[in-house]
Amino acid sequence: MGESFLKDAIDRILEMAAPKTYQIGPYTYASQELVLVDTAPSRPKDFCVDTLSGLVRIIKEEGARLDVKLLVQVEDQRHVAVWSDYLGDRVERARKYDRWRLYTAEADVPRITVGQYMDQQQAIIELQSLHNATPDRDYLLDLLSKIDVTQGVKSTDNGVTQEATVKTGVVLKDTVPVKPIVELQPFRTFLEIDQPVSKFLLRVDEYGRAGLFEADGGAWKLEAKRSIAAWLSDALDAEIEAGKVVVMI
């Protein structure tokens, strides 16, 4: 009798300590913090590629088999993300407003030096390797090759002491026009699209180092995003027409 009473008491205590949920209006509340025990994945693991072509391929070959509409979002000039639409009750354990982040593309292009000075060698290497060939790029390469840092020494001697003054300056080896603003086309986004043309302010310091400073307020980023969205819309035309894919900025 005593053991039975003790067992019933323990069972009652355990029952009272068990977490409960309460429905109040449209909201569901829990008496305790709940922890997910079944952690088996219910979606594909998000996958990253570094080209727009690779992203389109995985959308066509794998994404088309998923029971969700794909939302292709151009996040910025270097990143594109592919999301599912609202899952609702279509997927086990999905809340009403859940989404999946399925695929991403990140442009694998080097970053140019902007807003700081470079020595002549670094500037020439970057212009040759990280920019498309344009008239202003060739003009800058020619200009940099003609910049020379000179030192002039002035000496005074009174027979007892001698003083020397060293003056450093930047000169051009030849007479050439110097443009304050140049238009360049550096590699700054996915290579599948035309690289945006931007205006840069050219400055040369007293040591002969060249600096390029953005002069268009970063408007090229919006141009790049629009070009990415247009390229993806064309490449995924059939999927868009079928209502399986939406491309957005």
Side-chain angles (χ1 to χ4, degrees):
M1 181 72 176
E3 291 182 0
S4 177
F5 177 80
L6 181 60
K7 182 178 181 301
D8 290 342
I10 292 174
D11 290 342
R12 179 60 178 164
I13 293 172
L14 292 175
E15 180 182 350
M16 294 176 61
K20 297 180 176 60
T21 58
Y22 305 91
Q23 192 74 30
I24 302 177
Y27 304 106
T28 301
Y29 296 88
S31 60
Q32 297 180 23
E33 182 178 359
L34 304 180
V35 179
L36 179 65
V37 176
D38 179 10
T39 58
S42 60
R43 66 173 178 86
K45 185 177 180 181
D46 53 321
F47 188 77
C48 183
V49 296
D50 56 15
T51 65
L52 295 179
S53 301
L55 185 66
V56 167
R57 181 175 178 179
I58 196 170
I59 289 173
K60 287 178 176 288
E61 294 186 1
E62 181 180 280
R65 298 199 301 268
L66 299 175
D67 185 27
V68 292
K69 178 182 288 186
L70 302 183
L71 309 180
V72 183
Q73 180 189 21
V74 183
E75 296 181 328
D76 57 40
Q77 71 278 6
R78 288 175 176 262
H79 300 89
V80 179
V82 179
W83 299 82
S84 71
D85 60 351
Y86 287 149
L87 297 174
D89 298 327
R90 287 175 295 171
V91 179
E92 184 181 358
R93 294 193 304 277
R95 294 187 298 274
K96 183 178 180 181
Y97 298 113
D98 269 355
R99 292 184 188 275
W100 288 341
R101 186 182 177 100
L102 296 169
Y103 317 117
T104 56
E106 181 176 353
D108 185 17
V109 290
R111 297 184 182 273
I112 62 171
T113 303
V114 179
Q116 55 183 311
Y117 289 96
M118 302 171 279
D119 61 39
Q120 288 171 268
Q121 183 177 9
Q122 180 186 354
I124 289 173
I125 290 173
E126 283 204 11
L127 286 169
Q128 288 180 329
S129 60
L130 305 184
H131 293 68
N132 276 325
T134 61
D136 276 359
R137 187 209 69 158
D138 294 341
Y139 155 76
L140 279 181
L141 287 172
D142 181 64
L143 178 67
L144 289 172
S145 68
K146 294 176 179 177
I147 290 178
D148 188 22
V149 179
T150 62
Q151 288 187 336
V153 179
K154 179 181 179 182
S155 176
T156 58
D157 189 349
N158 61 9
V160 178
T161 60
Q162 183 180 37
E163 294 180 351
T165 303
V166 179
K167 181 180 180 182
T168 301
V170 177
V171 298
L172 289 172
K173 299 176 184 177
D174 195 4
T175 302
V176 293
V178 178
K179 298 180 181 180
I181 300 291
V182 291
E183 292 187 349
L184 300 173
Q185 196 177 25
F187 299 112
R188 293 177 290 183
T189 185
F190 294 94
L191 299 181
E192 287 93 341
I193 67 171
D194 291 335
Q195 299 299 308
V197 177
S198 292
K199 292 182 178 180
F200 291 87
L201 180 67
L202 171 65
R203 285 290 182 267
V204 179
D205 69 7
E206 60 181 344
Y207 304 105
R209 298 178 303 180
L212 293 173
F213 300 84
E214 281 192 356
D216 63 358
W220 68 272
K221 297 178 183 179
L222 181 58
E223 180 186 346
K225 290 176 64 174
R226 288 172 176 167
S227 297
I228 294 169
W231 191 94
L232 289 170
S233 296
D234 183 64
L236 296 168
D237 180 64
E239 288 73 18
I240 294 173
E241 287 293 325
K244 296 180 179 179
V245 172
V246 176
V247 176
M248 62 189 66
I249 296 180

